[in-house]
PDB file of all heavy atoms in Angstrom:
ATOM      1  N   TYR A   1      -3.816 -15.283  -8.953  1.00  0.00           N
ATOM      2  CA  TYR A   1      -2.542 -14.828  -9.494  1.00  0.00           C
ATOM      3  C   TYR A   1      -1.393 -15.373  -8.658  1.00  0.00           C
ATOM      4  O   TYR A   1      -1.580 -15.835  -7.523  1.00  0.00           O
ATOM      5  CB  TYR A   1      -2.473 -13.297  -9.554  1.00  0.00           C
ATOM      6  CG  TYR A   1      -2.526 -12.604  -8.209  1.00  0.00           C
ATOM      7  CD1 TYR A   1      -1.380 -12.402  -7.434  1.00  0.00           C
ATOM      8  CD2 TYR A   1      -3.729 -12.123  -7.703  1.00  0.00           C
ATOM      9  CE1 TYR A   1      -1.435 -11.757  -6.205  1.00  0.00           C
ATOM     10  CE2 TYR A   1      -3.794 -11.483  -6.475  1.00  0.00           C
ATOM     11  CZ  TYR A   1      -2.639 -11.302  -5.732  1.00  0.00           C
ATOM     12  OH  TYR A   1      -2.699 -10.671  -4.510  1.00  0.00           O
ATOM     13  N   PHE A   2      -0.191 -15.326  -9.220  1.00  0.00           N
ATOM     14  CA  PHE A   2       1.030 -15.728  -8.535  1.00  0.00           C
ATOM     15  C   PHE A   2       2.018 -14.585  -8.596  1.00  0.00           C
ATOM     16  O   PHE A   2       2.137 -13.895  -9.608  1.00  0.00           O
ATOM     17  CB  PHE A   2       1.644 -16.958  -9.208  1.00  0.00           C
ATOM     18  CG  PHE A   2       3.046 -17.260  -8.745  1.00  0.00           C
ATOM     19  CD1 PHE A   2       3.275 -17.925  -7.553  1.00  0.00           C
ATOM     20  CD2 PHE A   2       4.148 -16.864  -9.498  1.00  0.00           C
ATOM     21  CE1 PHE A   2       4.566 -18.194  -7.114  1.00  0.00           C
ATOM     22  CE2 PHE A   2       5.445 -17.127  -9.077  1.00  0.00           C
ATOM     23  CZ  PHE A   2       5.656 -17.804  -7.891  1.00  0.00           C
ATOM     24  N   CYS A   3       2.759 -14.343  -7.511  1.00  0.00           N
ATOM     25  CA  CYS A   3       3.808 -13.336  -7.511  1.00  0.00           C
ATOM     26  C   CYS A   3       4.830 -13.667  -6.436  1.00  0.00           C
ATOM     27  O   CYS A   3       4.597 -14.520  -5.577  1.00  0.00           O
ATOM     28  CB  CYS A   3       3.238 -11.932  -7.303  1.00  0.00           C
ATOM     29  SG  CYS A   3       2.342 -11.750  -5.756  1.00  0.00           S
ATOM     30  N   VAL A   4       5.973 -13.016  -6.511  1.00  0.00           N
ATOM     31  CA  VAL A   4       7.043 -13.243  -5.543  1.00  0.00           C
ATOM     32  C   VAL A   4       7.412 -11.919  -4.901  1.00  0.00           C
ATOM     33  O   VAL A   4       7.741 -10.952  -5.594  1.00  0.00           O
ATOM     34  CB  VAL A   4       8.281 -13.872  -6.203  1.00  0.00           C
ATOM     35  CG1 VAL A   4       9.392 -14.055  -5.177  1.00  0.00           C
ATOM     36  CG2 VAL A   4       7.924 -15.210  -6.840  1.00  0.00           C
ATOM     37  N   ASP A   5       7.331 -11.874  -3.583  1.00  0.00           N
ATOM     38  CA  ASP A   5       7.734 -10.711  -2.804  1.00  0.00           C
ATOM     39  C   ASP A   5       9.070 -11.049  -2.144  1.00  0.00           C
ATOM     40  O   ASP A   5       9.208 -12.120  -1.547  1.00  0.00           O
ATOM     41  CB  ASP A   5       6.679 -10.403  -1.744  1.00  0.00           C
ATOM     42  CG  ASP A   5       6.993  -9.137  -0.966  1.00  0.00           C
ATOM     43  OD1 ASP A   5       7.953  -9.155  -0.161  1.00  0.00           O
ATOM     44  OD2 ASP A   5       6.275  -8.145  -1.130  1.00  0.00           O
ATOM     45  N   PRO A   6      10.075 -10.164  -2.244  1.00  0.00           N
ATOM     46  CA  PRO A   6      11.382 -10.474  -1.681  1.00  0.00           C
ATOM     47  C   PRO A   6      11.372 -10.670  -0.171  1.00  0.00           C
ATOM     48  O   PRO A   6      12.284 -11.286   0.388  1.00  0.00           O
ATOM     49  CB  PRO A   6      12.236  -9.255  -2.076  1.00  0.00           C
ATOM     50  CG  PRO A   6      11.264  -8.167  -2.385  1.00  0.00           C
ATOM     51  CD  PRO A   6      10.065  -8.852  -2.930  1.00  0.00           C
ATOM     52  N   VAL A   7      10.346 -10.172   0.511  1.00  0.00           N
ATOM     53  CA  VAL A   7      10.261 -10.315   1.967  1.00  0.00           C
ATOM     54  C   VAL A   7       9.348 -11.481   2.344  1.00  0.00           C
ATOM     55  O   VAL A   7       9.715 -12.352   3.138  1.00  0.00           O
ATOM     56  CB  VAL A   7       9.752  -9.012   2.619  1.00  0.00           C
ATOM     57  CG1 VAL A   7       9.564  -9.204   4.116  1.00  0.00           C
ATOM     58  CG2 VAL A   7      10.721  -7.871   2.333  1.00  0.00           C
ATOM     59  N   VAL A   8       8.151 -11.517   1.783  1.00  0.00           N
ATOM     60  CA  VAL A   8       7.144 -12.507   2.161  1.00  0.00           C
ATOM     61  C   VAL A   8       7.426 -13.871   1.545  1.00  0.00           C
ATOM     62  O   VAL A   8       7.251 -14.905   2.167  1.00  0.00           O
ATOM     63  CB  VAL A   8       5.739 -12.019   1.763  1.00  0.00           C
ATOM     64  CG1 VAL A   8       4.695 -13.081   2.062  1.00  0.00           C
ATOM     65  CG2 VAL A   8       5.407 -10.727   2.495  1.00  0.00           C
ATOM     66  N   GLY A   9       7.861 -13.898   0.280  1.00  0.00           N
ATOM     67  CA  GLY A   9       8.072 -15.144  -0.434  1.00  0.00           C
ATOM     68  C   GLY A   9       7.160 -15.248  -1.637  1.00  0.00           C
ATOM     69  O   GLY A   9       6.612 -14.245  -2.107  1.00  0.00           O
ATOM     70  N   ALA A  10       6.972 -16.470  -2.139  1.00  0.00           N
ATOM     71  CA  ALA A  10       6.106 -16.706  -3.294  1.00  0.00           C
ATOM     72  C   ALA A  10       4.673 -16.899  -2.818  1.00  0.00           C
ATOM     73  O   ALA A  10       4.426 -17.617  -1.849  1.00  0.00           O
ATOM     74  CB  ALA A  10       6.576 -17.936  -4.058  1.00  0.00           C
ATOM     75  N   THR A  11       3.728 -16.254  -3.500  1.00  0.00           N
ATOM     76  CA  THR A  11       2.333 -16.287  -3.062  1.00  0.00           C
ATOM     77  C   THR A  11       1.395 -16.569  -4.220  1.00  0.00           C
ATOM     78  O   THR A  11       1.523 -15.992  -5.297  1.00  0.00           O
ATOM     79  CB  THR A  11       1.925 -14.953  -2.419  1.00  0.00           C
ATOM     80  OG1 THR A  11       2.698 -14.732  -1.236  1.00  0.00           O
ATOM     81  CG2 THR A  11       0.440 -14.965  -2.023  1.00  0.00           C
ATOM     82  N   VAL A  12       0.450 -17.475  -3.983  1.00  0.00           N
ATOM     83  CA  VAL A  12      -0.710 -17.651  -4.850  1.00  0.00           C
ATOM     84  C   VAL A  12      -1.914 -17.108  -4.085  1.00  0.00           C
ATOM     85  O   VAL A  12      -2.129 -17.468  -2.922  1.00  0.00           O
ATOM     86  CB  VAL A  12      -0.939 -19.133  -5.203  1.00  0.00           C
ATOM     87  CG1 VAL A  12      -2.339 -19.348  -5.779  1.00  0.00           C
ATOM     88  CG2 VAL A  12       0.105 -19.606  -6.205  1.00  0.00           C
ATOM     89  N   ALA A  13      -2.661 -16.208  -4.713  1.00  0.00           N
ATOM     90  CA  ALA A  13      -3.865 -15.646  -4.098  1.00  0.00           C
ATOM     91  C   ALA A  13      -5.054 -15.922  -4.999  1.00  0.00           C
ATOM     92  O   ALA A  13      -4.938 -15.852  -6.227  1.00  0.00           O
ATOM     93  CB  ALA A  13      -3.713 -14.143  -3.879  1.00  0.00           C
ATOM     94  N   THR A  14      -6.182 -16.240  -4.397  1.00  0.00           N
ATOM     95  CA  THR A  14      -7.388 -16.517  -5.168  1.00  0.00           C
ATOM     96  C   THR A  14      -8.623 -16.245  -4.319  1.00  0.00           C
ATOM     97  O   THR A  14      -8.530 -16.055  -3.101  1.00  0.00           O
ATOM     98  CB  THR A  14      -7.396 -17.988  -5.657  1.00  0.00           C
ATOM     99  OG1 THR A  14      -8.543 -18.204  -6.494  1.00  0.00           O
ATOM    100  CG2 THR A  14      -7.441 -18.957  -4.487  1.00  0.00           C
ATOM    101  N   TYR A  15      -9.785 -16.202  -4.981  1.00  0.00           N
ATOM    102  CA  TYR A  15     -11.036 -16.079  -4.247  1.00  0.00           C
ATOM    103  C   TYR A  15     -12.119 -16.844  -4.997  1.00  0.00           C
ATOM    104  O   TYR A  15     -11.998 -17.138  -6.189  1.00  0.00           O
ATOM    105  CB  TYR A  15     -11.465 -14.610  -4.087  1.00  0.00           C
ATOM    106  CG  TYR A  15     -12.167 -14.038  -5.298  1.00  0.00           C
ATOM    107  CD1 TYR A  15     -13.564 -14.077  -5.415  1.00  0.00           C
ATOM    108  CD2 TYR A  15     -11.446 -13.454  -6.341  1.00  0.00           C
ATOM    109  CE1 TYR A  15     -14.207 -13.547  -6.535  1.00  0.00           C
ATOM    110  CE2 TYR A  15     -12.080 -12.938  -7.458  1.00  0.00           C
ATOM    111  CZ  TYR A  15     -13.462 -12.982  -7.552  1.00  0.00           C
ATOM    112  OH  TYR A  15     -14.100 -12.477  -8.665  1.00  0.00           O
ATOM    113  N   ASP A  16     -13.175 -17.161  -4.286  1.00  0.00           N
ATOM    114  CA  ASP A  16     -14.363 -17.756  -4.898  1.00  0.00           C
ATOM    115  C   ASP A  16     -15.513 -17.574  -3.923  1.00  0.00           C
ATOM    116  O   ASP A  16     -15.353 -17.846  -2.718  1.00  0.00           O
ATOM    117  CB  ASP A  16     -14.136 -19.240  -5.192  1.00  0.00           C
ATOM    118  CG  ASP A  16     -15.248 -19.834  -6.059  1.00  0.00           C
ATOM    119  OD1 ASP A  16     -15.909 -19.072  -6.792  1.00  0.00           O
ATOM    120  OD2 ASP A  16     -15.456 -21.061  -6.006  1.00  0.00           O
ATOM    121  N   ALA A  17     -16.639 -17.097  -4.423  1.00  0.00           N
ATOM    122  CA  ALA A  17     -17.830 -16.934  -3.582  1.00  0.00           C
ATOM    123  C   ALA A  17     -17.492 -16.189  -2.293  1.00  0.00           C
ATOM    124  O   ALA A  17     -17.163 -15.004  -2.337  1.00  0.00           O
ATOM    125  CB  ALA A  17     -18.472 -18.296  -3.296  1.00  0.00           C
ATOM    126  N   ASN A  18     -17.497 -16.873  -1.140  1.00  0.00           N
ATOM    127  CA  ASN A  18     -17.301 -16.196   0.153  1.00  0.00           C
ATOM    128  C   ASN A  18     -15.946 -16.482   0.792  1.00  0.00           C
ATOM    129  O   ASN A  18     -15.786 -16.313   1.998  1.00  0.00           O
ATOM    130  CB  ASN A  18     -18.419 -16.601   1.137  1.00  0.00           C
ATOM    131  CG  ASN A  18     -18.366 -18.091   1.479  1.00  0.00           C
ATOM    132  OD1 ASN A  18     -18.077 -18.915   0.627  1.00  0.00           O
ATOM    133  ND2 ASN A  18     -18.675 -18.428   2.720  1.00  0.00           N
ATOM    134  N   VAL A  19     -14.941 -16.897  -0.004  1.00  0.00           N
ATOM    135  CA  VAL A  19     -13.626 -17.181   0.557  1.00  0.00           C
ATOM    136  C   VAL A  19     -12.528 -16.427  -0.179  1.00  0.00           C
ATOM    137  O   VAL A  19     -12.567 -16.277  -1.406  1.00  0.00           O
ATOM    138  CB  VAL A  19     -13.317 -18.695   0.523  1.00  0.00           C
ATOM    139  CG1 VAL A  19     -13.231 -19.224  -0.903  1.00  0.00           C
ATOM    140  CG2 VAL A  19     -12.023 -19.012   1.283  1.00  0.00           C
ATOM    141  N   TYR A  20     -11.572 -15.910   0.586  1.00  0.00           N
ATOM    142  CA  TYR A  20     -10.344 -15.319   0.050  1.00  0.00           C
ATOM    143  C   TYR A  20      -9.202 -16.173   0.562  1.00  0.00           C
ATOM    144  O   TYR A  20      -9.070 -16.395   1.778  1.00  0.00           O
ATOM    145  CB  TYR A  20     -10.194 -13.873   0.512  1.00  0.00           C
ATOM    146  CG  TYR A  20      -8.825 -13.278   0.230  1.00  0.00           C
ATOM    147  CD1 TYR A  20      -8.398 -13.088  -1.080  1.00  0.00           C
ATOM    148  CD2 TYR A  20      -7.974 -12.908   1.270  1.00  0.00           C
ATOM    149  CE1 TYR A  20      -7.141 -12.545  -1.340  1.00  0.00           C
ATOM    150  CE2 TYR A  20      -6.730 -12.368   1.009  1.00  0.00           C
ATOM    151  CZ  TYR A  20      -6.322 -12.184  -0.299  1.00  0.00           C
ATOM    152  OH  TYR A  20      -5.083 -11.659  -0.556  1.00  0.00           O
ATOM    153  N   LEU A  21      -8.350 -16.681  -0.339  1.00  0.00           N
ATOM    154  CA  LEU A  21      -7.339 -17.664   0.023  1.00  0.00           C
ATOM    155  C   LEU A  21      -5.962 -17.237  -0.463  1.00  0.00           C
ATOM    156  O   LEU A  21      -5.804 -16.776  -1.592  1.00  0.00           O
ATOM    157  CB  LEU A  21      -7.695 -19.012  -0.615  1.00  0.00           C
ATOM    158  CG  LEU A  21      -6.736 -20.178  -0.364  1.00  0.00           C
ATOM    159  CD1 LEU A  21      -6.985 -20.772   1.016  1.00  0.00           C
ATOM    160  CD2 LEU A  21      -6.897 -21.256  -1.436  1.00  0.00           C
ATOM    161  N   THR A  22      -4.954 -17.401   0.405  1.00  0.00           N
ATOM    162  CA  THR A  22      -3.568 -17.194  -0.012  1.00  0.00           C
ATOM    163  C   THR A  22      -2.750 -18.416   0.391  1.00  0.00           C
ATOM    164  O   THR A  22      -2.975 -19.025   1.438  1.00  0.00           O
ATOM    165  CB  THR A  22      -2.940 -15.950   0.650  1.00  0.00           C
ATOM    166  OG1 THR A  22      -2.999 -16.072   2.075  1.00  0.00           O
ATOM    167  CG2 THR A  22      -3.648 -14.676   0.206  1.00  0.00           C
ATOM    168  N   VAL A  23      -1.802 -18.779  -0.471  1.00  0.00           N
ATOM    169  CA  VAL A  23      -0.848 -19.860  -0.194  1.00  0.00           C
ATOM    170  C   VAL A  23       0.544 -19.283  -0.437  1.00  0.00           C
ATOM    171  O   VAL A  23       0.854 -18.833  -1.545  1.00  0.00           O
ATOM    172  CB  VAL A  23      -1.077 -21.079  -1.097  1.00  0.00           C
ATOM    173  CG1 VAL A  23      -0.091 -22.190  -0.755  1.00  0.00           C
ATOM    174  CG2 VAL A  23      -2.514 -21.579  -0.974  1.00  0.00           C
ATOM    175  N   THR A  24       1.369 -19.278   0.594  1.00  0.00           N
ATOM    176  CA  THR A  24       2.689 -18.652   0.520  1.00  0.00           C
ATOM    177  C   THR A  24       3.777 -19.665   0.856  1.00  0.00           C
ATOM    178  O   THR A  24       3.624 -20.480   1.763  1.00  0.00           O
ATOM    179  CB  THR A  24       2.781 -17.469   1.508  1.00  0.00           C
ATOM    180  OG1 THR A  24       1.783 -16.506   1.170  1.00  0.00           O
ATOM    181  CG2 THR A  24       4.150 -16.809   1.444  1.00  0.00           C
ATOM    182  N   ALA A  25       4.880 -19.593   0.121  1.00  0.00           N
ATOM    183  CA  ALA A  25       6.051 -20.415   0.405  1.00  0.00           C
ATOM    184  C   ALA A  25       7.231 -19.495   0.705  1.00  0.00           C
ATOM    185  O   ALA A  25       7.537 -18.595  -0.089  1.00  0.00           O
ATOM    186  CB  ALA A  25       6.390 -21.322  -0.768  1.00  0.00           C
ATOM    187  N   ALA A  26       7.866 -19.715   1.839  1.00  0.00           N
ATOM    188  CA  ALA A  26       9.039 -18.939   2.228  1.00  0.00           C
ATOM    189  C   ALA A  26      10.189 -19.899   2.524  1.00  0.00           C
ATOM    190  O   ALA A  26       9.991 -20.953   3.138  1.00  0.00           O
ATOM    191  CB  ALA A  26       8.734 -18.091   3.465  1.00  0.00           C
ATOM    192  N   ALA A  27      11.394 -19.548   2.091  1.00  0.00           N
ATOM    193  CA  ALA A  27      12.559 -20.411   2.282  1.00  0.00           C
ATOM    194  C   ALA A  27      12.900 -20.534   3.763  1.00  0.00           C
ATOM    195  O   ALA A  27      12.829 -19.562   4.515  1.00  0.00           O
ATOM    196  CB  ALA A  27      13.745 -19.865   1.502  1.00  0.00           C
ATOM    197  N   LEU A  28      13.263 -21.743   4.194  1.00  0.00           N
ATOM    198  CA  LEU A  28      13.705 -21.949   5.575  1.00  0.00           C
ATOM    199  C   LEU A  28      15.008 -21.212   5.844  1.00  0.00           C
ATOM    200  O   LEU A  28      15.221 -20.672   6.925  1.00  0.00           O
ATOM    201  CB  LEU A  28      13.909 -23.447   5.846  1.00  0.00           C
ATOM    202  CG  LEU A  28      12.661 -24.300   6.070  1.00  0.00           C
ATOM    203  CD1 LEU A  28      13.055 -25.772   6.181  1.00  0.00           C
ATOM    204  CD2 LEU A  28      11.931 -23.859   7.325  1.00  0.00           C
TER     205      LEU A  28
END
């Protein structure tokens, strides 16, 4: 899924088998 948190920034979260992964972008 994708969502935007006003503090953390934009985040993509996913999982597969034995991994949990997040990718976040925050403004400089």
Side-chain angles (χ1 to χ4, degrees):
Y1 64 85
F2 168 80
C3 59
V4 178
D5 184 289
V7 176
V8 176
T11 297
V12 165
T14 184
Y15 81 92
D16 190 24
N18 65 322
V19 64
Y20 169 65
L21 179 79
T22 58
V23 181
T24 300
L28 283 174

